[in-house]
Amino acid sequence: MTVYNFNLGIGWASSGVEYAQAYRAKVLRKIAQPAKFVFTDLILSENIEHLTQNIGFKDDEVIWLYQFFTDIKISPTTYTRAQLEKSIRFKQRKGVVEAVGEKAIRYSFPAEHKFVTAFLKEKGGQVVERAEHVSHDYLIRKDYFTYTKLFSEYYTPRDKRAYVYQRRFFNEDGSIAYEQLVDGKDELYRFSDALLYSKTDLVRFFMQRLQLTCKDVIILDRATEIGQTIFRNHGRAKLGVVIHADHFSENASTDTNIFWNNYYEYQFDNAQAVSFFITATAAQNKLMKKQFKQYYNYVPKIASIPVGSLSKLRHPQTKRKPYSLLTASRLATEKHVDWLIYAVVAAHKIIPELNFDIYGKGSEEVKLKKLIIQQNATSYIRLKGHQDLTNIYQEYEAYLSASTSEGFGLTLLEAVGSGLPLIGLDVRYGNQTFIRNNKNGFLIPFTEDEKLALTIAHLTNKIVELFTKSELKNFQQASYQIGKLFLTSEVEKKWQDLLGELKND
C-alpha cells in the first residue's frame, strides 16, 4: 500500500494545509507507511525541493507533476557556474563576466549581441538556480537547474513583452522527456507516446502512470482544478478527502438546503465515491454526519484525525517570562492580529508589565508594524518574524488568538503542548477543541455582526483576568492534560486504525 497525498502548490510561506501534510508525513514515517506527496502546480519561482525540504518532507516522498515524467530525481540545486559556462555554445567563446545584483552574474558576448544572466543560490556562490538567455535585447530562453538542467522555457517577443511559447523537460542525459506548448491559456503536452491537450489530460495521464491498485490510497488535500480528474481516474484505489477548513456557510444555509464551502462542494456532492473523509476535530465530524443525514439522507465514513501531533509535552527549562503573551500565525487579515494589539494596549494600561510577541510573516506585516507604532507600543509589542517555535512557546505565560475560524489550529495545539493558557473567540473548531472555558483559558462569545469594540473589550478583560484573578499554574496544568490527547502516539494509532480498516474493505 502507498498513500498518495494530493496538493496544488507550495511556497516559503506555507498555509495550514502544507503544515498538516508535513505533520502527516512524520506520522506515516513512524508507522512505516509508504507515502508520496504530490504537487500539481507549475512552480517556477524555486526548485520545489527547497520548498518541500524547508517544511519537513523528505526528497523521496515528493512527486512534482511536471518532473514525474522525467528521470531526474527530486534534489537540491547543485548545478555550478562551471557547468553553466561549459554549456554556453556561443561562437565567441570568451565573454565579459560581471556582477548584476547581489545574487546574479552576467556573461556578455557583445559581438553576437547576446548575454546570459545566471541567478545564484547564494551571494557570491557557485551554485546556479536559473539562467536567462537574451539575444539582441530579447529574452529567448530560461533554463532551470537542480543537479542538472531540469527544464527550459522558450520565449518570443510580442507587443514589446516576452511570451513563453514552449517548455521542454529533460532527462538526466539531456534528452527531451516531453514538451509543453503554450498559447496564452491553451496548452498542449507532447510525449513520445501521447499527445495531451490540457492540464486536465496531464493529470489523468499521471494517474494512469501511477498504476494504482486496490491496496493504494489517494488522499485529496486540495481539489481545485484536479478534483474531478482524480475522482474519475483513481481506479480501484481508495479515495479520501481531508477537510481543512469550515465546510459550509451557516448564514447561507437553510433547513432544506446547505451551502457547502465551494472548495468541498464537488467532493460532498460525490460523497458516495469517497471511501472516507477526514476532519481534524471530533466536533466537525459530528456536525458533518448530522448534515449529510439531514440533507442527503446518507452518512459517509468520516474519521477524526488531528492534522498535527505533539512528540512530547514541553516544559520550561527556566522560569517563564512574567506577564508574557504570544501569538503565532500567518499575518493575514482573517487572523485579526490587529484586534489583539488593540486588546493588549488596553490591558497594558492596567498591567504595565504586560508584553506581547507576534510570530509569523504575511501581507499584514507592514500594517501591523504601523499600528504598533501608532499605539506607542513598540516597547512591549514586538513583531518577531517567522521562527521555529518548538522550544519557544514554553518561555511564555499565555497564548492569544483572534482568528474567527480555525479548522484545527496547529499553533493552538503547540501552545497547549507547552502548557500555555489560551484566550480566543468561541468559534469552530480549533478554539473549541483546545480551550476549555475557565479551565485552561477563556472562550470569548463572538458573532460576525458583533461590534468590533465589544470584541476587543472582551479580549482585554480576559487578558486582565488571566493575570490578576486566575491561578495560572492550574490553567497551565489543564493545558498539559489536553495536550496529552494529541501526543504523536495517539495520532499514530488513529492512522493505523483507519488504514487497517481500508485494507480490509
Side-chain angles (χ1 to χ4, degrees), residues 78-99 104-109 116-120 124-128 130-131 133 141 143 145 149:
T78 57
Y79 193 85
T80 65
R81 285 177 55 181
Q83 287 176 282
L84 175 65
E85 291 163 6
K86 187 176 179 180
S87 73
I88 295 175
R89 292 287 184 262
F90 295 157
K91 294 178 183 177
Q92 179 191 0
R93 291 299 300 149
K94 197 171 180 68
V96 178
V97 183
E98 59 181 335
I105 56 171
R106 179 167 294 167
Y107 301 87
S108 299
F109 302 86
V116 179
T117 305
F119 294 86
L120 308 177
Q126 295 297 311
V127 175
V128 180
R130 184 178 84 253
H133 295 250
R141 193 174 91 227
D143 296 329
F145 307 104
K149 183 163 66 173

Side-chain angles (χ1 to χ4, degrees), residues 254 256 390 469:
T254 67
T256 57
T390 304
K469 299 179 182 179

Side-chain angles (χ1 to χ4, degrees), residues 91-92 231-232 290 318 323 343 392 467 478 497 503 505:
K91 294 178 183 177
Q92 179 191 0
F231 266 68
R232 291 179 174 177
K290 178 183 176 183
T318 58
Y323 300 99
I392 291 179
F467 286 105
D497 290 345
K503 285 180 181 178
D505 281 353

Side-chain angles (χ1 to χ4, degrees), residues 23 55 71 106 123 133 173 263 343 357-358 373 381 389-390 399 407 416 432 488:
Y23 270 102
I55 202 172
D71 63 5
R106 179 167 294 167
K123 180 181 178 180
H133 295 250
D173 63 3
Y263 288 112
D357 288 342
I358 300 166
I373 294 171
I381 300 180
L389 300 180
T390 304
Y399 185 93
V416 296
Q432 295 171 348
T488 300

Side-chain angles (χ1 to χ4, degrees), residues 360-410:
K361 302 285 287 184
S363 59
E364 292 288 286
E365 184 172 357
V366 173
K367 174 183 171 183
L368 296 174
K369 185 176 182 179
K370 288 181 179 178
L371 178 60
I372 294 168
I373 294 171
Q374 289 169 359
Q375 296 295 315
N376 296 314
T378 55
S379 64
Y380 60 93
I381 300 180
R382 293 166 293 272
L383 292 171
K384 305 285 281 188
H386 180 77
Q387 297 186 40
D388 181 354
L389 300 180
T390 304
N391 294 308
I392 291 179
Y393 285 99
Q394 57 268 36
E395 297 175 2
Y396 293 82
E397 288 199 314
Y399 185 93
L400 301 181
S401 171
S403 176
T404 52
S405 177
E406 286 291 349
F408 182 70
L410 290 171

Side-chain angles (χ1 to χ4, degrees), residues 22-208:
Y23 270 102
R24 189 187 311 153
K26 291 179 183 178
V27 172
L28 295 179
R29 273 180 232 137
K30 291 200 73 171
I31 63 174
Q33 171 58 59
K36 300 290 184 182
F37 291 82
V38 181
F39 295 90
T40 62
D41 277 356
L42 179 63
I43 298 170
L44 302 174
S45 61
E46 187 82 35
N47 176 356
I48 191 174
E49 193 276 346
H50 300 163
L51 305 173
T52 52
Q53 188 275 336
N54 175 65
I55 202 172
F57 293 108
K58 294 185 180 298
D59 290 352
D60 61 1
E61 293 172 338
V62 176
I63 295 176
W64 182 34
L65 173 66
Y66 292 87
Q67 191 167 342
F68 172 80
F69 302 101
T70 79
D71 63 5
I72 297 175
K73 303 171 186 66
I74 297 292
S75 173
T77 301
T78 57
Y79 193 85
T80 65
R81 285 177 55 181
Q83 287 176 282
L84 175 65
E85 291 163 6
K86 187 176 179 180
S87 73
I88 295 175
R89 292 287 184 262
F90 295 157
K91 294 178 183 177
Q92 179 191 0
R93 291 299 300 149
K94 197 171 180 68
V96 178
V97 183
E98 59 181 335
V100 284
E102 291 189 349
K103 295 171 63 176
I105 56 171
R106 179 167 294 167
Y107 301 87
S108 299
F109 302 86
E112 297 183 56
H113 303 287
K114 296 177 181 180
F115 64 83
V116 179
T117 305
F119 294 86
L120 308 177
K121 188 174 181 180
E122 297 174 347
K123 180 181 178 180
Q126 295 297 311
V127 175
V128 180
E129 294 189 309
R130 184 178 84 253
E132 296 184 355
H133 295 250
V134 173
S135 176
H136 294 82
D137 296 326
Y138 289 107
L139 174 66
I140 59 172
R141 193 174 91 227
K142 291 183 182 179
D143 296 329
Y144 296 81
F145 307 104
T146 58
Y147 56 90
T148 185
K149 183 163 66 173
L150 176 59
F151 68 99
S152 293
E153 292 183 313
Y154 300 88
Y155 290 81
T156 185
R158 187 188 304 167
D159 301 326
K160 297 182 179 181
R161 292 180 58 189
Y163 281 83
V164 63
Y165 67 90
Q166 183 181 42
R167 293 186 181 95
R168 282 179 175 166
F169 292 82
F170 301 101
N171 292 312
E172 285 186 341
D173 63 3
S175 63
I176 299 172
Y178 71 101
E179 296 176 306
Q180 178 193 27
L181 305 179
V182 182
D183 184 8
K185 293 183 178 180
D186 296 325
E187 53 192 30
L188 181 149
Y189 298 87
R190 185 161 56 201
F191 292 80
S192 61
D193 58 347
L195 196 61
L196 311 175
Y197 295 93
S198 67
K199 172 75 172 285
T200 297
D201 286 348
L202 185 68
V203 175
R204 174 185 52 77
F205 193 53
F206 168 73
M207 296 293 289
Q208 294 170 351

Side-chain angles (χ1 to χ4, degrees), residues 366-505:
V366 173
K367 174 183 171 183
L368 296 174
K369 185 176 182 179
K370 288 181 179 178
L371 178 60
I372 294 168
I373 294 171
Q374 289 169 359
Q375 296 295 315
N376 296 314
T378 55
S379 64
Y380 60 93
I381 300 180
R382 293 166 293 272
L383 292 171
K384 305 285 281 188
H386 180 77
Q387 297 186 40
D388 181 354
L389 300 180
T390 304
N391 294 308
I392 291 179
Y393 285 99
Q394 57 268 36
E395 297 175 2
Y396 293 82
E397 288 199 314
Y399 185 93
L400 301 181
S401 171
S403 176
T404 52
S405 177
E406 286 291 349
F408 182 70
L410 290 171
T411 56
L412 303 176
L413 166 66
E414 292 165 346
V416 296
S418 292
L420 292 181
L422 281 67
I423 298 175
L425 307 181
D426 191 3
V427 293
R428 296 187 296 256
Y429 297 95
N431 287 1
Q432 295 171 348
T433 297
F434 294 109
I435 305 176
R436 306 285 191 269
N437 197 36
N438 294 311
K439 299 294 185 184
N440 78 316
F442 301 109
L443 283 170
I444 295 170
F446 175 80
T447 57
E448 292 289 349
D449 55 359
E450 188 166 74
K451 290 184 178 179
L452 176 57
L454 185 57
T455 298
I456 292 172
H458 285 320
L459 286 165
T460 301
N461 292 338
K462 291 305 180 184
I463 292 170
V464 173
E465 182 177 343
L466 182 68
F467 286 105
T468 60
K469 299 179 182 179
S470 305
E471 284 290 337
L472 272 179
K473 287 186 177 180
N474 291 342
F475 275 41
Q476 290 165 356
Q477 288 305 311
S479 281
Y480 279 127
Q481 291 301 314
I482 294 169
K484 285 182 180 179
L485 303 175
F486 295 90
L487 289 171
T488 300
S489 57
E490 297 295 323
V491 179
E492 288 172 5
K493 186 176 186 306
K494 290 179 182 293
W495 275 108
Q496 286 175 319
D497 290 345
L498 174 62
L499 296 174
E501 290 171 13
L502 294 174
K503 285 180 181 178
N504 296 325
D505 281 353

